[in-house]
Amino acid sequence: MTAARGIGLDIGSRTVKCLVWGHGRILSARKEINTHDPLAVCADMLAEAGHGLTIATGYGRRLLSGYHGCETVSEIKAFARGTKALQPSCRTVLDIGGQDTKGIALGERGAIEKFQMNDKCAAGTGRFLEIMATALGLSLDDFIREAGSAEQAEAINSMCTVFAESEVISMISRGLPRSAIALGIHQAVARRAVSLLEQVGIREPIVFAGGVALNPCLAREIEKQLGKPLVIPGDPQMVGALGCALLAAEKS
Amino acid sequence: MEFNQSHVAPLIDDEFQGQASKRVLSYIQGKRRQGMPVAGLYCVYAPMELIRAAGVVPAGLCSFANKTIPPAEAVLPANLCPLIKSSYGFIVTDSCPFFALADVVIAETTCDGKKKMFELITGYKPLFVMDLPQLPDQEEACRNWTAMIRNLGGFLEKTFERRISEARLEEEIQATNVKNNLMNRLFGYAAATPPVLSWNEAYELGLLAQAASTEDLQPVLEHALETLEQRKVSGVHYGKPRAPRVLVTGCPLGGDSLKAYRIIEEAGGVIVALDACTGMKPFKHFIEEGSGDPLAALAAYYLKIPCSCMTPNQKRLDDLDALIERFRPDAVVDVVLHACHAYNVESYKIMNHLKERHRLPLLKIETDYSNGDVEQIRTRVEALFDSLDR
């Protein structure tokens, strides 16, 4: 692995992640909630990160394009590179972030063979889960806990955030247990993720990255439906930033 | 994306730089002033040679603007293809200048959405709907389409009180072959590495060539060919020399959906082939001359157009093979308009064919005429280029 220094910035819809690579290891990693002014959040993080080539990815990457010599790459490339570093044998990446879901098939040497992304709406992403938690009157953590403790699931059919919310509200008004609804929502999101993976082809090992990989109930549901284990990195949210930092270090 | 030299001479040397639709409108207005009637068209299946032989000017009708979709949605369902919604919206808001000029409208039953939309516009202008066969390889298809073309001839003769002679039809057939030959020579400059012709120039030439007669067009196209040859000699090329070459296939694009081409370019690609009805597709084939049955020759020619409404649409794969051999793309982007089920479903076949036969990756983009998905499309296109092993 390269010893040169590089800075990776992943400007997502919900959080901004910054990672500094140097001397062949991670020197620092930081996460911030994104605001209406992502550039200000990035500027603060970059000031702390110090010198070195910066590569940005995520929805906000174009804001940074040309900013103090900053370069940009697609999230697909960033996640492919980050995953290769964390799990060199990985052949399939599932990334569920704040507003999109990606499936990436990797070749034996980590090259991108094929990828799929959800369409422009945020159905089945982190934001979807947050809105469903709110519809159930739960915090995100409690929502995940409730789903994890459920004995039965109530099937959710809509994946459109607005329609699913109506469906959840009508279930609540029928007196169905919140835990069962919460589990049903997790199962629906898992189904969508599995179908996306099927489109790129599922080969093990499968790495699950992105903020939603921090949700143990969802990871378990995806594993159940796949019938295969998922590898979840220590900090799944930082994979894109790590990929960018490595790409930057390799360029330096 | 631009040329590698500044002050590159435009291919069409007129006052309509950057205003391709106005150029076409001005052409049709000129013909109208000379007393020629105008036929509004929605699709390249309309037999142009017959229309011209009747002394009528063909005019492609507006169908590519997002702004006419909200008024259309007062009547049409929201989950209908944007091209149909936009077309209808232009008519109900009376904002298509080509429709305003048209004496009649000629339409084809390409897809269900269009077919039912045509029923809603019957009251505006005399409308002639042609029943398009969708199994083009069957023997009956050509016979039925010949009959439809004959019926259209009868409609034009009756409406405009004139006769369409076989001799005039034969002349128009020959004229189309001359035009298509010139267009194909022009497109050849996009096949160069790096290309000498930009996608926008190819698009604009196609737009003009659909409306203008060969007689009017020939000097323009010959001048464009000379200009391209000069570019080639003086080392002018379009885009970065090592930019990934992209073939774009799928639904017809124009106006607001040209965003797809722009995003591909902004992501660093260079578009070398436009496999769309608003691109190179209508000029690919030739019509049999001197067949003794010009209507049947026309029918056979038009049934070669590989629209996804046809089944099984093997011609699309065959035409793609020829385009790939000629333009040597590094990747293919399939642009599918929302709710265009035929192109959407066919995309899977295209993807497998490209992978197995050509080892080429395909990116399918599903989009409409809004700008809401530009960044999402950009991410996919950038990722496509990232994934190219070059």
Side-chain angles (χ1 to χ4, degrees), chain A residues 219-247:
Chain A
R220 205 179 55 226
E221 287 304 322
I222 296 172
E223 285 181 328
K224 262 193 213 161
Q225 290 183 25
L226 280 176
K228 292 185 169 78
L230 295 172
V231 180
I232 301 174
D235 192 346
Q237 262 182 306
M238 296 303 295
V239 176
L242 171 65
C244 287
L246 287 168
L247 290 167

Side-chain angles (χ1 to χ4, degrees), chain A residues 121-236:
Chain A
C121 94
T125 64
R127 188 72 193 129
F128 178 82
L129 289 165
E130 285 177 354
I131 291 170
M132 292 308 117
T134 309
L136 285 172
L138 295 167
S139 71
L140 187 62
D141 288 341
D142 288 341
F143 172 63
I144 296 168
R145 229 185 328 272
E146 283 276 341
S149 70
E151 285 170 8
Q152 261 193 322
E154 282 297 331
I156 299 281
N157 298 299
S158 309
M159 260 291 114
C160 158
T161 311
V162 179
F163 289 157
E165 200 175 359
S166 313
E167 203 177 339
V168 165
I169 290 166
S170 69
M171 284 174 163
I172 296 170
S173 63
R174 291 207 321 265
L176 297 171
R178 282 204 293 193
S179 58
I181 304 173
L183 183 58
I185 294 166
H186 278 75
Q187 288 178 348
V189 172
R191 250 194 322 276
R192 204 177 158 89
V194 169
S195 123
L196 191 84
L197 287 180
E198 281 167 347
Q199 289 174 46
V200 296
I202 301 166
R203 290 179 305 195
E204 291 180 81
I206 309 157
V207 168
F208 185 17
V212 177
L214 294 165
N215 178 332
C217 178
L218 186 68
R220 205 179 55 226
E221 287 304 322
I222 296 172
E223 285 181 328
K224 262 193 213 161
Q225 290 183 25
L226 280 176
K228 292 185 169 78
L230 295 172
V231 180
I232 301 174
D235 192 346

Side-chain angles (χ1 to χ4, degrees), chain A residues 59 61-62 72-77 99-100 112-120, chain B residues 266 338 351 355 363 368 370 372-373 375-376 378-384 386-387:
Chain A
Y59 273 108
R61 67 187 181 282
R62 279 166 63 84
T72 62
V73 296
S74 71
E75 287 114 288
I76 311 282
K77 187 170 184 174
Q99 71 173 24
D100 60 30
I112 303 158
E113 280 187 353
K114 198 174 170 190
F115 66 92
Q116 274 294 333
M117 288 173 78
N118 60 324
D119 48 32
K120 73 174 176 179
Chain B
E266 286 162 11
H338 275 315
M351 177 186 75
K355 192 166 116 191
L363 174 71
D368 58 14
S370 75
D373 58 0
E375 294 307 316
Q376 281 89 344
R378 193 188 310 285
T379 299
R380 286 162 177 71
V381 175
E382 287 180 1
L384 171 72
D386 283 345
S387 71

Side-chain angles (χ1 to χ4, degrees), chain B residues 113-176:
Chain B
K114 273 194 166 182
K115 198 161 68 186
K116 301 313 280 186
M117 185 273 279
F118 295 146
E119 292 175 14
L120 302 180
I121 59 165
T122 46
Y124 292 85
K125 303 256 172 173
L127 175 76
F128 188 85
V129 180
M130 303 175 78
D131 184 12
L132 181 69
Q134 307 203 336
L135 276 74
D137 305 328
Q138 301 209 344
E139 211 184 300
E140 294 79 4
C142 202
R143 275 209 303 274
N144 293 344
W145 192 231
T146 306
M148 276 296 145
I149 296 176
R150 185 175 296 114
N151 291 352
L152 172 66
F155 167 79
L156 294 173
E157 286 179 332
K158 196 172 160 211
T159 308
F160 300 114
E161 296 173 337
R162 55 188 67 182
R163 287 279 304 147
I164 303 170
S165 73
E166 273 202 15
R168 277 291 296 125
L169 254 181
E170 194 57 45
E171 276 172 26
E172 287 300 339
I173 286 172
Q174 289 171 14
T176 290

Side-chain angles (χ1 to χ4, degrees), chain A residues 7-11 15-20 26-33 40-50 235 237-239 241-242:
Chain A
I7 302 165
L9 200 58
D10 180 358
I11 310 157
T15 54
V16 182
K17 284 79 68 176
C18 183
L19 186 143
V20 184
I26 296 170
L27 298 179
S28 68
R30 190 178 151 193
K31 257 180 264 186
E32 295 292 341
I33 299 290
V41 179
C42 295
D44 180 52
M45 288 176 128
L46 285 178
E48 193 188 281
D235 192 346
Q237 262 182 306
M238 296 303 295
V239 176
L242 171 65

